[in-house]
Amino acid sequence: MAEKTLIQAVHDTLQEEMQRDDRVIVLGEDVGARGGVFRATMGFLEEFGEERVLDTPLDECLIAGVAIGMALDGLRPVAEMQFADFIFPAFNQIVSEAARIRYRSNNDFNVPMVIRTPWGGGVHGALYHSQSIEAFFAHVPGIKVVAPSTPYDAKGMLIQALEDEDPVLYLEHKKTYRLIKGEVPDERYAVEFGVAEVRREGADLTCVSYGLMHHFCLEAAEKLAGEGIDVEVIDLRSIYPLDIDTVLESVGKTGKAMVVYEDNKFLGVGAEVAAQIAERALFDLDGPIVRIAGPHVPAMPYAPTLEGWFMPNPDKIEQEMRKLAGF
Amino acid sequence: MAEKTLIQAVHDTLQEEMQRDDRVIVLGEDVGARGGVFRATMGFLEEFGEERVLDTPLDECLIAGVAIGMALDGLRPVAEMQFADFIFPAFNQIVSEAARIRYRSNNDFNVPMVIRTPWGGGVHGALYHSQSIEAFFAHVPGIKVVAPSTPYDAKGMLIQALEDEDPVLYLEHKKTYRLIKGEVPDERYAVEFGVAEVRREGADLTCVSYGLMHHFCLEAAEKLAGEGIDVEVIDLRSIYPLDIDTVLESVGKTGKAMVVYEDNKFLGVGAEVAAQIAERALFDLDGPIVRIAGPHVPAMPYAPTLEGWFMPNPDKIEQEMRKLAGF
Amino acid sequence: MGKGQDGHTELGLKQEDLLAMHRFMLLARYCDERQWALNRQGKAPFVVPVSGHEAAQVGSIWAFERGKDVFCPYYRDMALCLAAGFTPKDVFAGLFGKFDDPSSGGRQMPAHWGSRKLNIITGSSPISTQILHAAGIAYSKKYKHEDSVVGTWFGEGGTSEGDWHGAMNFAGIHKLPLVFFCENNQYAISVHESKQVAGRVYKRAEGYGMPGFEGDGNDVLESYRLAKDAVDRARAGEGPSLIELRTYRFYSHTSDDDDRTYRSREEVEEWRKKDPILRFEKYLTDADVLDDKGLESMREEAKSDVADGVKQANESEFPDPSTGALHVFQEAQ
Amino acid sequence: MGKGQDGHTELGLKQEDLLAMHRFMLLARYCDERQWALNRQGKAPFVVPVSGHEAAQVGSIWAFERGKDVFCPYYRDMALCLAAGFTPKDVFAGLFGKFDDPSSGGRQMPAHWGSRKLNIITGSSPISTQILHAAGIAYSKKYKHEDSVVGTWFGEGGTSEGDWHGAMNFAGIHKLPLVFFCENNQYAISVHESKQVAGRVYKRAEGYGMPGFEGDGNDVLESYRLAKDAVDRARAGEGPSLIELRTYRFYSHTSDDDDRTYRSREEVEEWRKKDPILRFEKYLTDADVLDDKGLESMREEAKSDVADGVKQANESEFPDPSTGALHVFQEAQ
Ligand SMILES: Cc1ncc(C[n+]2csc(CCOP(=O)(O)OP(=O)(O)O)c2C)c(N)n1
Ligand SMILES: Cc1ncc(C[n+]2csc(CCOP(=O)(O)OP(=O)(O)O)c2C)c(N)n1
Ligand SMILES: [Mg+2]
Ligand SMILES: [Mg+2]
């Protein structure tokens, strides 16, 4: 057991998986000599050689399409999209192909591939290095979307992704890469998809989130504890499949729900969580379902003044929690 | 005033707009000699010449990117995506470029372009000629998404789209093309975006939908009228901007809300509508917010047995309405 | 035919090859004619024709080793899929959307070929996506040191998508065992090649560091010859090739299309005279492989096999609606 | 230099052109050096360097008519944007993310150039999207019978995206007044050209029906010559061209990168010896345009202009947070 950062957990897990299974192959821009722009594949080129640590041309459509081909031929490709913001040229290959191949072929073919990509803001990345992309893909049947927020989950969910027989979009919040540290067991373990984690129990209010926001929510909840407001904080971990049961159970107890996400509000993940609560637990509620999210602008701007304006932060979250708790 | 089908209304409006403004130019696959695979640009080549009625190579990324360039240079391009299902190669140009250019340039540039595309199922189009795409794009700040369901709106909203200084995704449900007829005034008029239309008043239940589903909802509501169940049927018309006020007003009256859409349920438009109701009108409700939508499978299959299984239809809707009304 | 009357011997083809190739071309042609007839009778809502492309398809796939090599075709490739192992019954089960359609169990539109058993990778409607899958598979074969070769087919319209560009580039960089076949029938639905392709398709090969060739796609032996050389190079580790086979489709793009809006009847007639099947029949008689009677009996046999296929597919069932929710993901074990 | 010591006269360049070109190269170089210094001091979180590319950029844009022609550059093109009308103050306002950054009012990362006034189309981070915008603008110019020419710039990595392919194809089909410039510095971040481009970039032109040229991007006059010929052809209605200018970047990809993981110090040193500015200084003295004192005073002037720019940009404000919600759509009038 060792304490690791989230990026270390990703790196080490990927390395160990490559050591045990030579079907696992990584591909993407700068995954080779550079070891990835966030160092997720540092040292891999030396250890596994350039055929298994494949620097691709600058073409995300190619990365996804070629990875699909590899998966169809029995490999376990782990494709890196350098930033989540740059996944869109691959949208067609992911949505029309990877996600539909099992269904359209009536189970004759399947695509066990993993797409890893750093997402999220708060790193002065401006409009094109800060985006949230989970809602686009969680909407698509046939692909799973997960967003671990701790080093422990980063390992377990990456292993789960590699064992999955279907495509998985594995999202790494780049602000958590070095910010979030935690214990990571040495042995191999999988964290099941579709199981949310209640990381803080509370009686007054259910707060649902994932990624960096989950840590902000915990922070806000801790502060409110001093005021006697007791917030239950749930980390979704997996966006699709979504563990609504854990959320509903919590709401049944607290009677109040909020969802916090960094993406813009409209049709973001919070919309689905809120809709499912409203469909299945309406009469448990004694307050509106609150969504705290980014404003409806095209991702966060660069200037520090504007970035601060965009990002949900522990203070904003704390205020909204207080308001809802007092409802 | 003449009675027209929806596709005729699109065709004639586009033709009239090209006659009055030579900045309007159409481009896409088969828009020329073929007049579009659904005949939306029939006769245009002869009337306007091949420079204005531009058959493009088979590359949607090109179509969107070139249209953006045209719009930046002062033209009013109307780009056709042959089927909504094939818009994904253009995802990056639409989402990263068209939708973000005004914001990222701090208002220095803007992209007045219209993307027209036939969407939706029920036409034996199977997985790749039946899809709903509105949720992907409505989630993106910087682009408007509209889906007229009558010939009258088709005309007015196309004119509005052409007058808009920002990109508009204009969705034409292909099953409504010839199925839906209606009066279309000869004079030029615009139908404002962000204004829903209550097409049937009722006291017992609010039903929100758009596109083909809107007609199915009207049909179901008419049947229930005989049973003394009085459904208020709202046609959203515009997905973004979304007229939630009209919806909330109606829910305030009926106390019950359902949203019907053909897209798969998870993170479809109904999620946002439900979430906004749950956020702003929770205490008006005396029943769960119901969503009727496609199942979570990658679009509808070809075999008639499976297509029927997939599509929401007036019967299914009627049953759900009855259930909710009796709640 | 380019090589005179014993061209096929020089190419290493035996008489039995010629007969089999001819048989698959005939099967494709008659399947096509039957599907149009069924369409007119209201029994097949959607038809994708192959007629005109038979030689390009059968000639090119004949260069591969079935059971070992991998194929990423496109919707037009019915003749190719027949040669790769589809039966007429399979074709019509797909046409009708029956549960035993091998490609998709009735889930996809007709002509969206696929079969794991036959190494035909499942295809979709979005144009050119399969070309990148082919590149990925070819990379995987090389990575695993298997000496399989991958073939991928597309129309000249398909060269316009970014997927084509990416696959050409990737194959060139890694010298993949991959052959690209462009069935250039000069139209993408209504759009003429001149508005589709700047320059010439086969000339683009050089820019990707691979050889490019142009051939007569209505000549099954020439199509074979170019394919064979390319497959041999690929198998020998000498990398990918691009082969452009010029041809023409006899019918409209699909049953939803009407080609009279964009092709003159004269042009269509002109090309019908170059019918690849008539041409091969002439070769077969000139080379004394078959006489008129032999040709006729092959036709009859193919027709009757097609009729049987229609009958069997007709008798089969539509998929049960309760299966619609299956296979989005792997089902829980 | 290729053309001997009065190469510039043959090219139609006057002494004042040479001085102005040199000035912009110097401005770019000193802006770059200053931004790295600011980065080290923690005053500029993100830096995109230009050094090494100055000649390719200034030489190529010099062939265009400013005020009339339209430019779709990429992030590396600081020297180009300076020559097109950006001031050092503009550059640093962008670097700091100040409200008066002309490109984006502090909304985008540094080096995401744009200015309607200067006909520099707003650029983004996703690679190569601007190339299709350039094609659309060129089409529009032709449609409106304006005789403007459009130029677009990208790295060799940028040629891999489908957008590049689409734009090349579209420009070739419609013979657009468009010049494509590839600033080939042999690396896309860490990925070497040999893993990026199968074949050679300039050789791809033929496959798109347009001429392609290769030139020494560290030679400002050669860059100009190739650009001028291409712009002239474009303006005369003879269609597009592709020009590949070979060069090298002196620093890491950006301040987030560390090029020591993928480039040997020897290689970098080798290319630093080919510094385009030193080379042009030699030309200017050899051609008796400037003596050493003249060169020195140009350097001093440029340095002081850059220092002034930093100062002004420093004094300017960050955007007001209340403006963050503006300009998603046109504001209600
Ligand atoms: C991405 C995408 N865009 C558009 C279409 C519609 N479409 C289907 S076939 C076709 C033309 C294809 O032409 P070509 O590649 O030349 O093949 P051919 O049909 O001539 O054999 C078009 C535009 C599609 N299927 N996919
Ligand atoms: C679509 C997309 N994918 C990836 C990136 C990340 N990225 C930024 S610059 C770059 C390399 C570009 O190399 P090249 O085009 O050769 O230009 P150079 O930086 O060498 O001038 C990469 C991979 C991006 N910005 N956009
Ligand atoms: Mg074709
Ligand atoms: Mg480069």
Side-chain angles (χ1 to χ4, degrees):
Chain A
M1 188 100 128
E3 167 148 294
K4 292 184 181 181
T5 61
L6 196 138
I7 181 71
Q8 261 178 309
V10 170
H11 172 277
D12 295 354
T13 307
L14 204 47
Q15 187 178 32
E16 287 154 20
E17 292 300 299
M18 289 182 77
Q19 285 162 350
R20 56 185 294 285
D21 184 351
D22 65 12
R23 296 174 308 162
V24 180
I25 169 170
V26 300
L27 67 159
E29 295 152 10
D30 303 291
V31 298
R34 183 80 183 82
V37 297
F38 289 102
R39 301 287 189 266
T41 55
M42 192 73 161
F44 284 27
L45 181 66
E46 295 73 11
E47 182 170 354
F48 303 109
E50 66 176 15
E51 300 221 315
R52 274 186 89 187
V53 184
L54 171 58
D55 266 334
T56 64
L58 209 176
D59 178 355
E60 291 74 14
C61 175
L62 179 163
I63 295 171
V66 156
I68 291 169
M70 291 169 169
L72 288 169
D73 199 51
L75 300 185
R76 297 270 156 169
V78 180
E80 176 177 303
M81 299 285 159
Q82 196 161 82
F83 285 86
D85 316 61
F86 304 141
I87 201 171
F88 300 131
F91 205 76
N92 189 44
Q93 282 286 353
I94 299 169
V95 170
S96 301
E97 299 297 319
R100 290 180 212 266
I101 277 178
R102 184 189 290 276
Y103 192 78
R104 80 172 183 228
S105 69
N106 205 25
N107 219 24
D108 201 20
F109 292 91
N110 65 307
V111 183
M113 76 191 265
V114 180
I115 301 176
R116 292 179 44 243
T117 189
W119 67 291
V123 297
H124 316 307
L127 270 74
Y128 297 100
H129 296 77
S130 304
Q131 291 174 38
S132 301
I133 58 162
E134 64 279 12
F136 291 122
F137 294 97
H139 176 55
V140 176
I143 183 165
K144 297 173 184 171
V145 181
V146 302
S149 76
T150 65
Y152 180 93
D153 284 351
K155 174 169 180 174
M157 296 183 95
L158 186 50
I159 287 171
Q160 180 63 41
L162 278 162
E163 297 207 331
D164 208 287
E165 293 294 332
D166 292 295
V168 177
L169 178 63
Y170 178 95
L171 299 169
E172 305 163 10
H173 196 294
K174 63 178 100 62
K175 177 84 179 179
T176 67
Y177 267 156
R178 292 183 169 81
L179 187 70
I180 304 300
K181 299 190 184 75
E183 294 294 323
V184 180
D186 296 329
E187 68 274 14
R188 191 167 187 270
Y189 61 92
V191 170
E192 210 184 322
F193 295 162
V195 182
E197 175 96 1
V198 180
R199 292 213 198 266
R200 185 185 194 288
E201 298 203 9
D204 298 332
L205 161 64
T206 299
C207 173
V208 180
S209 64
Y210 52 96
L212 176 67
M213 288 303 122
H214 172 62
H215 298 283
F216 285 5
C217 290
L218 282 175
E219 207 178 313
E222 286 310 323
K223 284 201 200 144
L224 285 175
E227 298 176 24
I229 299 174
D230 193 14
V231 181
E232 178 139 314
V233 182
I234 298 177
D235 182 0
L236 282 180
R237 307 199 288 187
S238 147
I239 315 285
Y240 193 93
L242 182 77
D243 179 7
I244 197 68
D245 292 339
T246 296
V247 174
L248 293 180
E249 198 180 309
S250 173
V251 171
K253 187 171 73 174
T254 65
K256 281 174 181 155
M258 68 192 298
V259 196
V260 184
Y261 51 117
E262 187 181 323
D263 197 2
N264 57 292
K265 195 189 235 183
F266 198 96
L267 275 170
V269 168
E272 182 63 30
V273 174
Q276 291 202 28
I277 298 172
E279 200 158 4
R280 299 176 50 188
L282 194 83
F283 301 109
D284 288 341
L285 291 170
D286 40 54
I289 307 175
V290 171
R291 292 184 288 162
I292 305 176
H296 199 73
V297 308
M300 66 195 72
Y302 184 67
T305 45
L306 296 175
E307 189 180 79
W309 164 82
F310 183 102
M311 281 289 275
N313 59 38
D315 282 351
K316 287 190 210 170
I317 296 169
E318 188 193 329
Q319 283 166 35
E320 293 292 333
M321 283 177 170
R322 192 179 290 112
K323 224 192 322 185
L324 181 58
F327 193 89
Chain B
M1 190 97 129
E3 166 148 296
K4 291 184 182 182
T5 60
L6 196 139
I7 181 70
Q8 261 179 309
V10 170
H11 172 277
D12 296 354
T13 306
L14 204 46
Q15 185 178 33
E16 287 154 22
E17 292 300 297
M18 289 184 76
Q19 286 162 350
R20 56 185 292 286
D21 184 352
D22 64 13
R23 295 174 310 163
V24 180
I25 170 169
V26 300
L27 68 159
E29 294 153 11
D30 304 290
V31 299
R34 183 80 183 84
V37 296
F38 289 103
R39 302 289 189 265
T41 55
M42 190 76 159
F44 283 27
L45 182 66
E46 295 74 10
E47 182 171 353
F48 303 110
E50 64 176 17
E51 301 221 315
R52 274 186 88 186
V53 183
L54 172 56
D55 266 333
T56 63
L58 209 175
D59 178 356
E60 291 74 15
C61 175
L62 179 163
I63 295 171
V66 156
I68 291 169
M70 290 170 170
L72 288 169
D73 199 50
L75 300 184
R76 297 270 155 169
V78 179
E80 177 177 303
M81 299 285 160
Q82 197 162 81
F83 284 85
D85 316 60
F86 304 142
I87 201 170
F88 300 132
F91 205 77
N92 189 43
Q93 281 286 352
I94 298 170
V95 169
S96 301
E97 298 297 317
R100 290 181 213 264
I101 277 179
R102 184 188 289 276
Y103 191 77
R104 79 172 184 226
S105 70
N106 204 25
N107 219 22
D108 201 19
F109 292 92
N110 64 308
V111 183
M113 77 190 264
V114 181
I115 300 176
R116 292 180 41 245
T117 190
W119 67 291
V123 298
H124 315 306
L127 270 75
Y128 297 100
H129 295 78
S130 304
Q131 291 173 38
S132 299
I133 58 163
E134 64 279 12
F136 291 121
F137 294 97
H139 177 55
V140 176
I143 183 165
K144 296 174 184 171
V145 181
V146 302
S149 76
T150 66
Y152 180 93
D153 283 351
K155 173 169 180 172
M157 297 184 95
L158 186 50
I159 288 171
Q160 181 63 40
L162 279 161
E163 297 206 330
D164 208 287
E165 293 294 332
D166 292 295
V168 177
L169 178 62
Y170 178 96
L171 299 169
E172 305 163 11
H173 195 294
K174 63 179 102 60
K175 177 84 179 180
T176 66
Y177 267 157
R178 289 182 172 81
L179 186 71
I180 305 301
K181 299 191 183 76
E183 295 293 324
V184 179
D186 296 331
E187 68 274 13
R188 192 168 187 271
Y189 61 91
V191 170
E192 212 184 320
F193 295 162
V195 182
E197 175 96 1
V198 180
R199 292 212 198 267
R200 187 185 192 287
E201 299 204 6
D204 298 333
L205 163 63
T206 299
C207 172
V208 180
S209 63
Y210 51 96
L212 176 66
M213 287 304 122
H214 172 63
H215 297 283
F216 285 5
C217 290
L218 282 174
E219 211 179 309
E222 285 310 323
K223 285 203 198 141
L224 285 176
E227 298 176 24
I229 299 173
D230 195 14
V231 181
E232 179 140 311
V233 182
I234 297 178
D235 181 1
L236 281 181
R237 306 201 287 191
S238 147
I239 315 284
Y240 194 93
L242 181 77
D243 179 6
I244 197 68
D245 292 339
T246 295
V247 174
L248 294 179
E249 199 179 308
S250 174
V251 172
K253 189 171 71 175
T254 64
K256 283 175 179 152
M258 70 192 295
V259 197
V260 183
Y261 52 117
E262 189 181 322
D263 196 1
N264 57 292
K265 196 189 234 184
F266 198 96
L267 275 170
V269 168
E272 181 63 30
V273 174
Q276 291 203 26
I277 297 172
E279 198 157 7
R280 298 176 50 187
L282 195 85
F283 300 108
D284 288 342
L285 291 171
D286 39 56
I289 307 176
V290 171
R291 291 183 289 162
I292 305 176
H296 199 73
V297 307
M300 66 196 72
Y302 183 67
T305 45
L306 296 175
E307 188 181 80
W309 165 80
F310 183 101
M311 279 290 276
N313 60 37
D315 282 350
K316 289 190 210 172
I317 297 167
E318 189 192 326
Q319 283 165 34
E320 293 292 331
M321 283 177 169
R322 192 179 291 112
K323 222 188 329 181
L324 182 58
F327 195 90
Chain C
M1 208 72 37
K3 294 213 156 205
Q5 293 318 7
D6 60 351
H8 65 271
T9 317
E10 278 178 48
L11 292 173
L13 289 171
K14 308 205 191 75
Q15 286 218 3
E16 65 207 60
D17 286 307
L18 302 190
L19 295 177
M21 291 166 93
H22 188 51
R23 178 175 151 73
F24 289 121
M25 302 213 297
L26 289 173
L27 280 179
R29 178 65 57 88
Y30 294 138
C31 280
D32 202 0
E33 289 175 0
R34 266 314 281 275
Q35 67 178 351
W36 280 105
L38 289 159
N39 178 256
R40 280 186 299 269
Q41 295 158 27
K43 290 181 184 157
F46 185 70
V47 158
V48 180
V50 62
S51 298
H53 286 237
E54 295 92 341
Q57 294 175 18
V58 173
S60 54
I61 197 164
W62 216 260
F64 290 85
E65 276 187 51
R66 273 146 289 178
K68 172 175 181 176
D69 294 340
V70 181
F71 314 118
C72 298
Y74 79 124
Y75 52 84
R76 187 78 64 212
D77 288 324
M78 188 210 284
L80 186 154
C81 289
L82 285 163
F86 266 66
T87 66
K89 146 89 195 320
D90 294 338
V91 169
F92 289 100
L95 185 73
F96 298 141
K98 295 299 178 74
F99 87 98
D100 49 358
D101 152 36
S103 301
S104 76
R107 289 177 168 199
Q108 290 215 72
M109 283 181 140
H112 287 57
W113 318 105
S115 161
R116 176 174 286 280
K117 192 180 67 184
L118 301 175
N119 279 350
I120 299 172
I121 302 299
T122 169
S124 63
S125 308
I127 295 289
S128 291
T129 49
Q130 82 281 10
I131 311 177
L132 277 170
H133 306 168
I137 295 167
Y139 189 93
S140 173
K141 294 301 183 197
K142 199 173 166 183
Y143 174 77
K144 294 192 271 182
H145 302 289
E146 294 175 11
D147 77 334
S148 308
V149 176
V150 183
T152 183
W153 288 258
F154 43 83
E156 83 291 346
T159 65
S160 296
E161 293 283 1
D163 306 59
W164 181 84
H165 172 60
M168 289 288 293
N169 191 30
F170 189 74
I173 291 168
H174 295 284
K175 300 255 166 282
L176 297 183
L178 175 53
V179 188
F180 296 87
F181 295 96
C182 177
E183 298 177 36
N184 186 342
N185 62 11
Q186 305 158 55
Y187 291 88
I189 309 186
S190 71
V191 179
H192 188 258
E193 185 184 355
S194 57
K195 292 184 178 169
Q196 183 72 246
V197 183
R200 283 296 311 278
V201 171
Y202 78 95
K203 287 205 180 167
R204 291 189 182 166
E206 193 196 345
Y208 297 101
M210 69 177 85
F213 303 90
E214 189 190 16
D216 181 347
N218 282 16
D219 181 341
V220 67
L221 294 184
E222 178 161 323
S223 301
Y224 172 76
R225 177 176 60 80
L226 290 168
K228 184 74 170 69
D229 290 348
V231 170
D232 287 350
R233 277 193 304 276
R235 200 161 338 255
E238 292 165 30
S241 309
L242 169 65
I243 293 170
E244 178 179 358
L245 297 169
R246 295 194 76 79
T247 183
Y248 201 79
R249 71 173 144 74
F250 288 177
Y251 298 104
S252 285
H253 173 69
T254 66
S255 53
D256 285 346
D257 182 33
D258 177 358
D259 70 334
R260 285 169 303 184
T261 52
Y262 57 84
R263 300 197 304 192
S264 75
R265 292 308 87 186
E266 294 69 42
E267 183 183 291
V268 177
E269 264 325 298
E270 210 48 59
W271 277 92
R272 275 192 177 267
K273 287 187 198 138
K274 303 183 196 161
D275 186 329
I277 292 184
L278 294 182
R279 183 152 166 189
F280 197 44
E281 289 190 337
K282 182 164 182 324
Y283 179 89
L284 292 173
T285 48
D286 286 355
D288 285 334
V289 178
L290 281 177
D291 58 13
D292 283 355
K293 235 186 88 193
L295 287 177
E296 186 51 31
S297 79
M298 279 195 73
R299 284 188 212 114
E300 288 314 313
E301 198 188 307
K303 270 188 205 164
S304 122
D305 288 351
V306 168
D308 286 350
V310 174
K311 191 158 170 292
Q312 290 162 36
N314 245 326
E315 284 160 4
S316 151
E317 302 293 322
F318 286 119
D320 187 302
S322 73
T323 63
L326 294 176
H327 314 321
V328 178
F329 297 107
Q330 184 180 46
E331 268 69 42
Q333 311 285 307
Chain D
M1 208 71 38
K3 292 210 157 206
Q5 293 317 6
D6 59 353
H8 65 272
T9 318
E10 278 178 48
L11 292 173
L13 289 172
K14 307 206 193 74
Q15 287 218 3
E16 65 208 61
D17 287 306
L18 302 189
L19 295 176
M21 290 164 93
H22 188 52
R23 177 175 152 72
F24 289 121
M25 302 212 298
L26 289 173
L27 280 179
R29 177 66 56 91
Y30 295 138
C31 281
D32 203 359
E33 289 175 357
R34 267 313 283 274
Q35 67 178 352
W36 280 106
L38 289 160
N39 178 258
R40 279 188 298 269
Q41 295 159 27
K43 291 183 183 155
F46 186 70
V47 158
V48 180
V50 62
S51 297
H53 285 237
E54 296 93 341
Q57 294 175 17
V58 173
S60 55
I61 198 167
W62 215 260
F64 290 85
E65 277 187 50
R66 273 146 289 180
K68 172 176 181 176
D69 294 339
V70 180
F71 313 118
C72 299
Y74 79 124
Y75 52 84
R76 187 79 61 214
D77 288 323
M78 187 209 284
L80 187 155
C81 289
L82 286 164
F86 266 67
T87 65
K89 146 90 192 326
D90 294 339
V91 168
F92 289 100
L95 184 73
F96 298 141
K98 296 298 178 76
F99 87 98
D100 49 359
D101 152 35
S103 300
S104 76
R107 290 178 167 198
Q108 291 214 73
M109 283 182 141
H112 286 58
W113 317 106
S115 161
R116 176 174 287 282
K117 193 180 68 185
L118 301 176
N119 280 349
I120 299 172
I121 302 299
T122 169
S124 62
S125 309
I127 295 289
S128 292
T129 50
Q130 82 282 7
I131 311 179
L132 277 169
H133 306 167
I137 294 166
Y139 189 93
S140 172
K141 294 301 184 198
K142 198 172 167 186
Y143 174 77
K144 295 193 270 182
H145 303 288
E146 293 175 13
D147 75 337
S148 309
V149 176
V150 182
T152 184
W153 288 258
F154 43 83
E156 84 290 347
T159 65
S160 295
E161 293 282 0
D163 306 58
W164 180 84
H165 172 59
M168 289 289 293
N169 192 27
F170 190 74
I173 291 168
H174 294 286
K175 301 251 164 285
L176 297 183
L178 174 53
V179 187
F180 296 86
F181 295 97
C182 177
E183 298 177 35
N184 186 342
N185 61 12
Q186 306 159 54
Y187 291 88
I189 309 186
S190 70
V191 179
H192 189 257
E193 185 183 357
S194 56
K195 292 186 179 169
Q196 183 72 246
V197 182
R200 284 295 312 276
V201 171
Y202 78 95
K203 285 204 181 166
R204 291 191 181 165
E206 192 196 347
Y208 297 101
M210 68 176 85
F213 303 89
E214 191 191 14
D216 181 347
N218 282 16
D219 180 342
V220 67
L221 293 184
E222 179 162 320
S223 301
Y224 172 77
R225 177 176 61 79
L226 289 169
K228 182 74 169 70
D229 289 349
V231 170
D232 286 350
R233 277 194 304 276
R235 202 165 333 260
E238 292 164 32
S241 309
L242 169 65
I243 294 170
E244 179 179 358
L245 297 169
R246 293 194 77 79
T247 183
Y248 201 79
R249 70 173 147 73
F250 288 176
Y251 297 103
S252 285
H253 173 69
T254 65
S255 52
D256 286 346
D257 183 32
D258 177 357
D259 70 334
R260 286 168 303 182
T261 52
Y262 56 83
R263 300 197 305 191
S264 74
R265 293 307 88 187
E266 294 70 41
E267 183 183 291
V268 177
E269 264 325 297
E270 210 46 58
W271 276 93
R272 275 192 178 267
K273 288 188 198 135
K274 302 182 196 163
D275 186 330
I277 291 183
L278 294 182
R279 182 151 167 189
F280 197 44
E281 289 190 338
K282 180 163 185 325
Y283 180 89
L284 292 173
T285 48
D286 286 354
D288 285 335
V289 178
L290 282 177
D291 58 14
D292 282 354
K293 236 186 88 193
L295 287 177
E296 187 51 31
S297 79
M298 278 195 73
R299 285 188 212 112
E300 288 313 314
E301 199 188 305
K303 271 187 202 162
S304 120
D305 289 351
V306 168
D308 286 351
V310 175
K311 191 157 171 293
Q312 290 162 38
N314 246 327
E315 286 160 2
S316 154
E317 302 292 322
F318 285 120
D320 188 302
S322 74
T323 62
L326 294 176
H327 314 319
V328 179
F329 297 108
Q330 184 180 49
E331 268 67 43
Q333 311 284 305

